[in-house]
Amino acid sequence: MDIAIAIVLLVLIAFVIIVLVRSVRIIPQARAGVVERLGKYQRTLNPGLTLLIPFVDRLLPLLDLREQVVSFPPQPVITEDNLVVSIDTVVYFQVTDARAATYEIANYIQAVEQLTTTTLRNVVGGLNLEEALTSRDQINGQLRGVLDEATGRWGIRVSRVELKAIDPPHSIQDSMEKQMRAERDRRAAILTAEGTKQSAILTAEGQRQSSILKAEGDAKAAILRADGEAQAIQKVFDAIHKGNPDPKLLAYQYLQTLPKIAEGSSNKLWIIPSEVGDALKGIGSVLGTGPAPVPVPAPAPPTATSSDAETLAAPGGVDTPGSQA
């Protein structure tokens, strides 16, 4: 009898513990729970302590209210120019209504994946390969708009959609690499040609400026040299006129200057000017050593004699018009 009573007490204690466990629930932060009473939606539990009616209320699995990130496997998509590209997508979403996420859709993650795939094919199908590779922001915006509108009634808010990778076929990748390599080579050749052109222009401009400056320097030097020579000649001329030299002194200076004409090892022939005689005459008259110049009479023209006339009239001589008569 005591054993039976102990067993009953143990059963009652176990029942009470089970009832307490099923009646008292603690909902963590950023979680939400849906309570069904007799199989019908009763309420949504918020974070904190809550009490349930055992064997009447049933708590469904808790839902995570934080923003979730789901990366979907690569999906083959055909572009407008009939090229198959593989696109990886990443979707950022958050559960905003636990009741709608529980009763409006069976598996919202799978639904978001399928909806993303179909929307991506519709969007990328209207673009060619180049536009698909360069219009990621446009594709992301269109995907987010369509997904947010479709998942709103599921209690889900899509915050962002990102294209993680767009992989064209290997043959297209090789062609694109060759095209880019050719484009880079073309740009390098253009830049090299531009550099050579600019270098040639700068070199020619420098040479032109150098020639101009050199010519200006030569011209200024010639002008200064001519001015110096003119001033020297003017000073000599003024000094000569100021000293009032006579012809005798000038003749003496002229004779002293003549030996300088023959200076130098390359002089093989010395031409004496005609003025030397006059200078010598002047010096001789000064020193009194030379005789006075005597005028020399000019020779008389030859006259014809009788013998010459006979010779001209003889045979073999010069015929005259009178002899022919």
Side-chain angles (χ1 to χ4, degrees):
M1 189 66 180
D2 295 335
I3 296 174
I5 294 173
I7 293 173
V8 171
L9 290 175
L10 292 175
V11 171
L12 290 175
I13 293 172
F15 179 75
V16 171
I17 294 173
I18 293 173
V19 169
L20 291 175
V21 170
R22 294 180 64 90
S23 299
V24 179
R25 292 295 179 91
I26 297 176
I27 307 300
Q29 185 66 32
R31 300 290 193 278
V34 175
V35 177
E36 292 181 348
R37 179 168 294 176
L38 299 177
K40 184 180 179 182
Y41 171 76
Q42 200 270 332
R43 68 181 187 275
T44 300
L45 299 181
N46 295 322
L49 179 65
T50 184
L51 298 176
L52 301 177
I53 301 175
F55 306 106
V56 176
D57 294 341
R58 184 171 70 94
L59 180 62
L60 298 180
L62 300 180
L63 298 177
D64 194 345
L65 301 180
R66 296 173 296 180
E67 187 172 5
Q68 302 180 40
V69 181
V70 180
S71 178
F72 301 131
Q75 300 294 330
V77 180
I78 301 176
T79 61
E80 186 180 13
D81 46 359
N82 297 325
L83 293 176
V84 180
V85 295
S86 180
I87 301 178
D88 296 347
T89 55
V90 179
V91 179
Y92 298 81
F93 68 93
Q94 184 179 11
V95 177
T96 57
D97 188 354
R99 178 182 176 279
T102 302
Y103 295 105
E104 295 296 336
I105 189 71
N107 189 341
Y108 56 84
I109 294 180
Q110 184 179 2
V112 170
E113 178 182 359
Q114 296 300 324
L115 183 60
T116 302
T117 301
T118 55
T119 307
L120 184 63
R121 288 176 178 174
N122 292 333
V123 173
V124 178
L127 304 174
N128 55 36
L129 179 59
E130 185 175 358
E131 292 175 347
L133 293 175
T134 58
S135 304
R136 292 196 176 191
D137 294 338
Q138 179 182 356
I139 297 174
N140 294 339
Q142 293 182 5
L143 286 176
R144 181 184 177 280
V146 173
L147 291 176
D148 195 16
E149 181 180 359
T151 58
R153 60 186 183 89
W154 298 342
I156 297 174
R157 182 179 63 86
V158 177
S159 58
R160 295 183 64 184
V161 179
E162 296 290 342
L163 299 182
K164 186 166 60 176
I166 301 177
D167 298 327
H170 294 290
S171 58
I172 301 300
Q173 292 182 7
D174 296 338
S175 300
M176 293 173 62
E177 291 178 357
K178 292 179 181 179
Q179 181 180 0
M180 293 303 298
R181 190 180 301 110
E183 182 67 20
R184 287 192 295 268
D185 294 340
R186 184 182 68 85
R187 292 179 181 179
I190 292 175
L191 292 177
T192 303
E194 288 290 338
T196 305
K197 175 183 176 182
Q198 292 296 330
S199 176
I201 291 174
L202 293 177
T203 302
E205 184 67 21
Q207 293 178 353
R208 186 177 72 87
Q209 293 292 337
S210 176
S211 301
I212 292 174
L213 294 177
K214 184 177 180 181
E216 291 178 353
D218 294 341
K220 291 182 178 179
I223 292 173
L224 293 176
R225 192 180 302 110
D227 291 341
E229 293 177 355
Q231 292 178 5
I233 293 173
Q234 184 66 33
K235 288 183 178 180
V236 172
F237 181 79
D238 294 341
I240 292 174
H241 282 273
K242 187 176 181 181
N244 193 15
D246 53 1
K248 303 174 183 179
L249 178 61
L250 294 177
Y252 179 72
Q253 291 293 332
Y254 182 76
L255 291 176
Q256 284 185 338
T257 307
L258 287 177
K260 296 182 180 180
I261 300 176
E263 291 181 356
S265 59
S266 61
N267 293 332
K268 303 300 182 181
L269 180 63
W270 186 20
I271 300 175
I272 299 175
S274 60
E275 292 84 354
V276 175
D278 297 337
L280 292 175
K281 291 178 181 180
I283 293 174
S285 63
V286 171
L287 297 177
T289 57
V294 178
V296 178
T303 57
T305 60
S306 59
S307 60
D308 294 332
E310 294 175 356
T311 304
L312 292 174
V318 180
D319 296 334
T320 60
S323 62
Q324 291 180 359

